Amino acid sequence: MGALGTAIDRLGSTARIVVGLIALATVGVIIYIVMSAGGAAYTPAFTNLDARSAGDVQAALAGANIPSQLADGGRTVLVPSSQVDAALVAAGGTGAGSGNPSYALLDHMGLSTTDGQWDMAVLRARSGVLATTLEGIAGVRKATVNLAVPARAVFSIDQSPVTASILIDTGGASLPDTTVRGMVALVAGGVPGLTAQHVTITDERGTPLNSAMSAIGLETADHFSAQHAWEAQKTAIAQAQLDRMLGPGNGSVVVAGTLNFNEVKTRTQQFGTSKGPLTGSTEKENLATRGATANGAAGATSNLPGAAQTSGASSSTYVHNKDAATNAIDTTQTDTTIAAGDPTKMSISLVVSKKALESVLKGASKAPAAQAQALNILQGAVENAVGFDPANKTNVISASAVEALPNPITALQAAGLNLTTGGAAAADGSALGGLVPAPFGALLQPVGAGLGLLVMLFLVRKSLAKRQALLGSTDASWMPALEAPPIKIEDLMPSLSGPSSAELQAVEKRALQGRVEDIATSRPSDVAAQLRGWLSAES
């Protein structure tokens, strides 16, 4: 401490102020780093709780010596991220943390339970489990599930369907159609005999979300969702191909289309060569007649007056042969089902920067012929990437080149949005507008503060070293001579009796020199101030 005080005393008033400001800045930086580090990170462990359930959870956590905090208006309980598992175990062991019934109701059913009581308990437990499951979906604060399971009828034609009505609290927010369809499928799959057509979901405002009055039906929504997914996949493939050829940000492509959702079944038969008869039959008839009496055979002509009569003998022969067979022939019958989802129409829109066309064909940014050729190359690459069928006359593709593609950040800022393009950290932990990856964005602030502190300490040390060198180069032995009076020549002559005046003055000079050295050691700042005064007076 003495050496530090001596070093400070050797500094001037201006240097002391500078050192004091640097020390204050250093302390401020250290305090800021400590304050920004904060305490232990808290994470949600229990969400969508009512006031009573939240109180039960906190009581259970307090009994397990686990700190907790309330958030989201008391509906969420936060615990340290390192103690989430212990918190779940502590709250689950006491039965806290859920306001809905569960299958634990069945554990308390006695031997005297009737079939009706058992069915009701199963129904309550199933409704509670489904409600808890729905509350785990993002955007759903509270869910209530009511199941209606009619009694089993003797005849299936008289059986009433199982139905479910769901009331959800979204806090005024809107759920996308995909989420609603997922909730319908989740509930329908969790109850035996329940179909999606018999599930009704209503929000806290009384608006039906999946009935015929909603904006979109289930089947139509599935078609739209499949078509949107197909378009997004094809667009991503085309954009990736475009980025590989031009570089990111130099081109944009959009793929749209229409899918055929009609399922078609076809049947074809092919016949091969004959393999021989399976069954066969042969029929042969032979009939021979010989001549009779001269009067001929009895008949109409012989009984009619005036009819011609035959005389002499006559004969005839009749032969009949018949073959029938059933031959075996190779037969192949194929039933083909063409699944829905084949595209009936595809439209591709391609826009690129003229300057970027240089990477495809040199001179394409200025020469129209080269530009058209480069666009054809890009168009062919995109067509091959997405499976574009040029034979289909309904498919269209357009490619155009512009001077420069619009900057999305500039466009959003022009629309009035306040965007942070640098310096501030992103929501995912990245820093400098996303230039620093998220895993390192959180370390940027303390690392920068530490580097600043090191630079500041280096400058302070350099300044002190410079001051020490300046003071060390000054010889303090001559300082008492400035205080002593001049010595006369006659005083230097030897004296015959007693000490001469020169000797007395030398003794006084040594004494004065000792006092000055003591003053320089004990009060260096005063000595430095006196030296500066002398130097300024001489100059």
Side-chain angles (χ1 to χ4, degrees):
M1 292 298 293
L4 181 60
T6 302
I8 294 176
D9 289 339
R10 292 180 180 178
L11 300 176
S13 57
T14 304
R16 292 179 185 176
I17 294 175
V18 173
V19 173
L21 292 177
I22 293 175
L24 291 176
T26 303
V27 174
V29 169
I30 295 175
I31 294 176
Y32 174 75
I33 293 175
V34 174
M35 294 296 294
S36 61
Y42 278 75
T43 185
F46 305 93
T47 58
N48 298 323
L49 301 178
D50 52 20
R52 181 175 180 179
S53 299
D56 293 341
V57 169
Q58 282 202 308
L61 297 179
N65 296 324
I66 299 176
S68 62
Q69 296 178 0
L70 291 179
D72 193 18
R75 289 185 293 270
T76 302
V77 177
L78 306 177
V79 299
S81 56
S82 60
Q83 294 182 301
V84 173
D85 296 337
L88 295 176
V89 173
T94 58
S98 177
N100 300 317
S102 63
Y103 286 110
L105 291 175
L106 306 180
D107 297 337
H108 305 288
M109 306 298 289
L111 296 177
S112 60
T113 303
T114 63
D115 292 341
Q117 292 174 339
W118 176 262
D119 293 340
M120 182 57 66
V122 171
L123 192 64
R124 287 185 58 200
R126 184 172 287 137
S127 300
V129 170
L130 289 175
T132 303
T133 305
L134 294 178
E135 290 172 357
I137 298 176
V140 179
R141 288 186 173 183
K142 186 69 176 177
T144 303
V145 179
N146 294 316
L147 300 177
V149 181
R152 185 180 298 275
V154 177
F155 300 101
S156 59
I157 194 173
D158 299 330
Q159 181 66 46
S160 299
V162 180
T163 59
S165 60
I166 305 171
L167 176 64
I168 62 173
D169 180 9
T170 61
S174 298
L175 295 178
D177 290 328
T178 53
T179 302
V180 175
R181 295 200 304 274
M183 296 169 62
V184 171
L186 189 143
V187 174
V191 180
L194 180 62
T195 59
Q197 288 75 16
H198 296 97
V199 177
T200 302
I201 300 181
T202 307
D203 61 10
E204 72 276 11
R205 296 182 297 271
T207 303
L209 301 180
N210 70 317
S211 65
M213 298 173 60
S214 61
I216 193 169
L218 291 177
E219 184 176 358
T220 306
D222 290 337
H223 293 173
F224 283 166
S225 178
Q227 181 166 311
H228 177 72
W230 178 83
E231 292 176 346
Q233 181 188 23
K234 294 296 183 181
T235 300
I237 294 174
Q239 187 65 50
Q241 179 66 26
L242 196 63
D243 291 342
R244 281 192 292 267
M245 299 182 68
L246 299 179
N250 293 320
S252 177
V253 62
V254 176
V255 179
T258 303
L259 301 183
N260 182 16
F261 293 100
N262 297 324
E263 187 174 293
V264 180
K265 294 183 179 181
T266 59
R267 173 175 293 181
T268 57
Q269 269 187 326
Q270 294 181 350
F271 299 97
T273 58
S274 175
K275 298 299 181 180
L278 294 176
T279 59
S281 62
T282 301
E283 180 180 344
K284 293 183 178 181
E285 293 181 349
N286 294 322
L287 178 62
T289 59
R290 297 178 180 273
T293 60
N295 292 330
T301 56
S302 60
N303 295 329
L304 293 175
Q309 300 292 325
T310 60
S311 61
S314 63
S315 62
S316 63
T317 302
Y318 172 74
V319 178
H320 173 71
N321 296 328
K322 180 180 180 182
D323 293 330
T326 301
N327 294 325
I329 301 176
D330 282 339
T331 303
T332 302
Q333 181 173 319
T334 305
D335 292 333
T336 304
T337 300
I338 302 176
D342 291 336
T344 59
K345 179 181 179 180
M346 182 184 296
S347 302
I348 302 177
S349 176
L350 180 65
V351 180
V352 299
S353 173
K354 290 183 179 180
K355 186 177 180 180
L357 291 177
E358 293 288 341
S359 60
V360 179
L361 190 63
K362 189 174 182 180
S365 61
K366 298 180 180 180
Q371 177 179 318
Q373 186 177 357
L375 288 177
N376 289 333
I377 295 174
L378 291 176
Q379 182 175 323
V382 172
E383 288 179 357
N384 294 331
V386 300
F388 184 85
D389 185 10
N392 188 352
K393 300 303 181 182
T394 60
N395 294 343
V396 293
I397 180 171
S398 63
S400 58
V402 297
E403 293 297 334
L405 294 178
N407 189 344
I409 297 179
T410 305
L412 293 177
Q413 288 178 343
L417 295 179
N418 186 15
L419 299 179
T420 302
T421 58
D428 58 352
S430 61
L432 297 179
L435 296 179
V436 179
F440 306 101
L443 300 177
L444 183 63
Q445 184 177 4
V447 169
L451 292 177
L453 180 59
L454 291 177
V455 171
M456 184 170 53
L457 293 177
F458 173 76
L459 295 177
V460 172
R461 183 180 180 278
K462 185 176 180 181
S463 177
L464 291 176
K466 185 177 180 180
R467 296 284 182 176
Q468 292 285 356
L470 179 61
L471 293 177
S473 62
T474 303
D475 187 7
S477 62
W478 59 270
M479 293 173 60
L482 298 177
E483 299 284 344
I487 303 174
K488 298 179 180 182
I489 298 299
E490 56 270 16
D491 293 337
L492 298 177
M493 299 299 293
S495 178
L496 298 177
S497 62
S500 63
S501 60
E503 293 176 350
L504 294 177
Q505 289 180 359
V507 173
E508 293 177 355
K509 179 180 177 180
R510 286 193 296 270
L512 179 60
Q513 182 178 356
R515 290 196 301 271
V516 172
E517 289 178 352
D518 293 336
I519 294 173
T521 304
S522 60
R523 294 185 296 174
S525 59
D526 296 338
V527 175
Q530 184 66 33
L531 288 175
R532 285 195 296 269
W534 290 340
L535 294 175
S536 61
E538 291 178 357
S539 61

